[in-house]
Amino acid sequence: MTHKRRELIQYAIFAAFIIAVPLVFRGRQSYYVSMLALSGIYAIVALGLNLLMGFAGQISLGHAAFFSIGAYTTAILSTRLGWQPIAGLLPAVAVSGFAAFVIGLPTLKLKEHYLAMATLGVGLIAYSLIKADPGGITGGVTGIVNIPPLVIGGFTFDSDRSQFYLIWAVAFLIFALSFNIIDSRIGRALMAIHKSEVSASVLGVNVFSCKLQIFVLSGMYAGLGGFLYAHCSPMYYLNPDDVCHFSLSIKLLTMVVIGGMGSMWGTLLGAVGLSILPEVLRMLGSLFPGVNTTDIEMAIYGLVLAVIMIASPRQRLKKWLRLDKPRRVEPPKDVEV
Amino acid sequence: MFPDQILQFLLSGLTIGSIYALIALGFTIIYNTTGIINFAQGEFVMLGGMFMVGCTRLLHLPLPVGMLVTIMAVMLVGALIERLAIKPARNKSIVTLIIITIGVSIALKAAVAFFSKDSFTYPPFPGPEHVSIGNASLPGQSLWIMGTAGCIMAALWLFFHFTIRGKAMRACAINREAANIVGIDVEKMSLLSFGLSALIGAIAGIVVTPTTQMAWYRGTELGMKGFCAVILGGLGSSPGAVIGGLLLGLLETFGNYLFSGYRDAIAFSIFLLVIFIRPQGILRRK
């Protein structure tokens, strides 16, 4: 099967799943539709984080900051200044991207530790600033209420089902975009950087510029996710604990790690799986009264991160299934490096 | 009004700065010996405080016994982290190791949160309640904090310069492979560095808790401040860690006076400023 055809089939399966979900969960089960809609938002952000971690080999511990910057930008524009919700899209994405640029500029030249700590710091600062609310615009601890739903071409996205389709349509486009980026010059350059920065730069790759570009792009993905969250969140309500807390950054990180860094499909499954996890834990928790399931959730994230990274089960599985045998790859006709 | 308060700010800044310096030293010891930034460093401080709360308030142990038990317990945690999480992944990429230490840190936080999500404290250590120096007044615990930090720094200096173990660890810092070739057990040194960092973190947690309170979530913030201090002084330099920590404490205290309520923002702005202008830190020459 050729590369292109396999890709098309993958997209078709993905699209079929998106269309099927709201048709399967109806009536009283439509709660699951809104839960899965939310997982689509996380998937968008996690796909950006996956580009950064899985392909560029960098790490962000503060992606919730970029997410919340996007969410608050559009929420402030549409509630305080009376903008049309859709008009907030560009500012939300641009401001998040700019924030990533400012953080990435000094830190990406240095070792990975610096970016990790800088993004961790940005996350903590963004959280404390939004909570402290210096200019009286973020609403502090209470957050922002009554954010208008999205209206596109006269259609209002205010039902679970319409929001689900909207979010997953965007996620689908982002998914396709990410695949194309990986398959482009910058994608190959990133993979070269991941293997060895020295050899990549010897081959003429501008290592710093590539890393910065992908970091800004992942910041923009997060901003886009934040934009969707602000206008599609349950109750149209933003508060710092939901969108900007360190635990959200960790949740996003875990989504990428659980799916296997560098695997787009894995990230997608990770996003959906971890979004369902609280619900599963709540169901199990009802069997053990008195146990706080959010603590268990946090412990699971920590253990999953550590154990997956130590044991690398994906490589082991591949080895066990003998998928890692060197396969003959036909050289592409026109290689652009 | 402001000049009168300079001494007061200076002393408060040095108190909190001593804690940052201790955390920064913990980072530095592990980084120098193993090349890893241990993101669970702040958790050692949190565990030190929380175990001590358990020892004094639940078990009603006398102060010195409680301290000893706490320190041993946190060192055991540090050693277990090294053996169970770091050693099996020794040859993996930096990002992988970062994620592992983050995972460990979250698991530790969750474990503590599972027992209690409240903030705790215990009475300050014996001594005067307040000390007046000029027109500044300090809680007596501040003297304990600064004194303990000073003693630990002196002890570390002696350890690294006059014992064979300490010298072996410095050899690892200079060149791990060469150290291995001359017969230094690098794996043992890695274990030792985690134990030593846990010890310092535990002590920092024990002495700081009476002044600030301790809770399950505080490790992240303290760890980040400690790392800011590390960057300020230059990654890998022990004197840099101490000076960076003290300086960060002072800058934060004075900055907090000028822009009250933005303590964390100040530390982080300094961090960004330093990596913009002098990524090698204020002490090092490039």
Side-chain angles (χ1 to χ4, degrees):
Chain A
M1 208 188 299
T2 62
H3 183 58
K4 268 273 169 292
R5 237 179 90 192
R6 209 168 72 186
E7 213 168 78
L8 275 179
I9 291 175
Q10 287 179 348
Y11 286 140
I13 294 172
F14 185 13
F17 261 105
I18 294 174
I19 294 166
V21 166
L23 303 178
V24 173
F25 298 110
R26 286 158 160 281
R28 283 180 64 197
Q29 288 180 318
S30 63
Y31 167 68
Y32 294 107
V33 175
S34 74
M35 193 168 73
L36 287 166
L38 200 61
S39 76
I41 293 176
Y42 293 137
I44 293 168
V45 186
L47 281 171
L49 195 57
N50 182 35
L51 286 179
L52 183 72
M53 285 168 55
F55 293 94
Q58 305 297 309
I59 186 173
S60 167
L61 303 179
H63 245 52
F66 304 120
F67 182 74
S68 61
I69 288 170
Y72 271 93
T73 304
T74 186
I76 287 165
L77 289 175
S78 58
T79 56
R80 308 254 194 269
L81 302 176
W83 284 32
Q84 281 290 316
I86 188 71
L89 175 60
L90 272 181
V93 173
V95 175
S96 306
F98 181 71
F101 178 76
V102 171
I103 305 306
L105 203 56
T107 41
L108 281 165
K109 280 188 187 147
L110 306 161
K111 279 188 183 168
E112 287 90 337
H113 303 133
Y114 289 84
L115 185 67
M117 266 300 173
T119 46
L120 175 60
V122 167
L124 295 178
I125 300 306
Y127 179 68
S128 68
L129 281 184
I130 289 175
K131 225 173 171 177
D133 192 16
I137 49 170
T138 64
V141 212
T142 35
I144 296 180
V145 290
N146 293 330
I147 303 165
L150 272 178
V151 182
I152 300 172
F155 183 82
T156 311
F157 289 89
D158 55 359
S159 68
D160 285 344
R161 200 172 289 185
S162 63
Q163 288 181 349
F164 177 90
Y165 281 127
L166 173 76
I167 288 166
W168 277 99
V170 176
F172 184 82
L173 290 177
I174 289 294
F175 188 71
L177 174 69
S178 307
F179 255 118
N180 276 304
I181 288 171
I182 289 314
D183 215 2
S184 72
R185 184 178 188 278
I186 186 162
R188 286 187 290 274
L190 284 173
M191 284 184 256
I193 291 172
H194 199 171
K195 285 270 178 215
S196 157
E197 291 198 4
V198 177
S199 56
S201 63
V202 168
L203 288 169
V205 172
N206 185 339
V207 173
F208 172 63
S209 149
C210 273
K211 281 201 247 172
L212 188 59
Q213 283 179 41
I214 211 71
F215 185 57
V216 170
L217 184 74
S218 78
M220 287 162 76
Y221 277 23
L224 174 66
F227 168 81
L228 287 171
Y229 184 87
H231 294 293
C232 299
S233 68
M235 333 251 244
Y236 305 104
Y237 161 65
L238 276 188
N239 90 6
D241 283 322
D242 287 343
V243 296
C244 195
H245 199 261
F246 178 58
S247 58
L248 176 60
S249 295
I250 293 303
K251 193 172 176 177
L252 292 164
L253 185 76
T254 315
M255 287 171 181
V256 175
V257 167
I258 217 169
M261 285 194 284
S263 159
M264 299 278 183
W265 287 100
T267 303
L268 221 51
L269 291 178
V272 174
L274 283 196
S275 306
I276 300 172
L277 180 67
E279 189 65 19
V280 174
L281 286 176
R282 217 168 295 147
M283 278 189 238
L284 290 176
S286 60
L287 301 178
F288 306 95
V291 175
N292 188 342
T293 51
T294 49
D295 293 343
I296 308 250
E297 202 185 327
M298 190 160 75
I300 289 178
Y301 289 163
L303 290 176
V304 158
L305 283 176
V307 169
I308 289 188
M309 284 289 116
I310 295 165
S312 44
R314 194 153 149 249
Q315 267 103 317
R316 282 180 198 211
L317 191 68
K318 272 189 179 169
K319 211 172 214 170
W320 188 64
L321 295 170
R322 302 193 168 240
L323 290 174
D324 66 337
K325 263 193 268 175
R327 266 177 286 179
R328 187 174 289 274
V329 181
E330 291 212 8
K333 292 215 171 66
D334 46 344
V335 181
E336 192 195 336
V337 173
Chain B
M1 174 192 170
F2 184 54
D4 296 349
Q5 292 176 322
I6 284 184
L7 187 64
Q8 179 72 53
F9 284 134
L10 209 64
L11 290 170
S12 323
L14 286 177
T15 305
I16 188 69
S18 313
I19 296 296
Y20 296 161
L22 288 183
I23 303 170
L25 276 172
F27 273 114
T28 308
I29 290 169
I30 291 183
Y31 178 75
N32 277 348
T33 319
T34 65
I36 295 167
I37 292 287
N38 173 29
F39 280 75
Q41 189 64 36
E43 279 8 285
F44 290 150
V45 184
M46 183 271 290
L47 285 179
M50 293 307 266
F51 280 159
M52 192 65 188
V53 167
C55 286
T56 52
R57 303 225 348 221
L58 282 179
L59 304 176
H60 302 289
L61 294 176
L63 207 58
V65 182
M67 281 183 195
L68 205 64
V69 171
T70 303
I71 291 171
M72 299 303 267
V74 179
M75 280 178 78
L76 183 69
V77 172
L80 283 177
I81 291 173
E82 202 276 341
R83 280 292 113 133
L84 299 177
I86 303 296
K87 198 180 161 206
R90 207 44 273 240
N91 299 318
K92 297 195 174 170
S93 71
I94 293 183
V95 167
T96 305
L97 287 161
I98 290 176
I99 297 174
I100 290 173
T101 58
I102 288 169
V104 167
S105 127
I106 295 164
L108 288 176
K109 271 204 273 195
V112 175
F114 194 72
F115 285 105
S116 175
K117 288 196 159 177
D118 297 328
S119 291
F120 292 99
T121 188
Y122 39 84
F125 299 161
E129 204 168 312
H130 283 280
V131 187
S132 303
I133 303 165
N135 45 13
S137 158
L138 269 186
Q141 186 67 21
S142 291
L143 295 183
W144 275 103
I145 292 175
M146 287 191 269
T148 312
C151 289
I152 290 178
M153 286 164 201
L156 279 179
W157 188 80
L158 292 173
F159 173 72
F160 280 120
H161 286 85
F162 294 102
T163 67
I164 194 79
R165 284 271 159 79
K167 286 179 183 176
M169 281 177 82
R170 276 168 62 212
C172 288
I174 295 163
N175 187 327
R176 252 187 305 279
E177 275 165 36
N180 200 10
I181 288 168
V182 298
I184 294 169
D185 188 343
V186 176
E187 286 196 349
K188 206 174 179 183
M189 292 303 130
S190 165
L191 181 63
L192 192 59
S193 74
F194 270 82
L196 202 53
S197 279
L199 173 114
I200 299 171
I203 294 177
I206 291 172
V207 291
V208 81
T209 304
T211 59
T212 56
Q213 293 198 328
M214 193 52 74
W216 63 279
Y217 60 85
R218 291 225 38 218
T220 311
E221 173 210 332
L222 285 167
M224 210 204 85
K225 297 284 177 64
F227 190 76
C228 287
V230 168
I231 298 304
L232 199 56
L235 186 57
S237 150
S238 300
V242 173
I243 292 172
L246 295 176
L247 200 59
L248 185 69
L250 288 174
L251 288 170
E252 237 187 48
T253 313
F254 281 102
N256 200 36
Y257 174 77
L258 298 173
F259 318 95
S260 70
Y262 295 100
R263 189 178 271 273
D264 295 337
I266 292 163
F268 182 63
S269 316
I270 295 167
F271 171 77
L272 271 190
L273 207 65
V274 172
I275 52 176
F276 252 121
I277 302 166
R278 272 185 85 83
Q280 72 274 31
I282 49 172
L283 280 192
R284 289 211 164 168
R285 263 180 250 175
K286 192 144 200 182

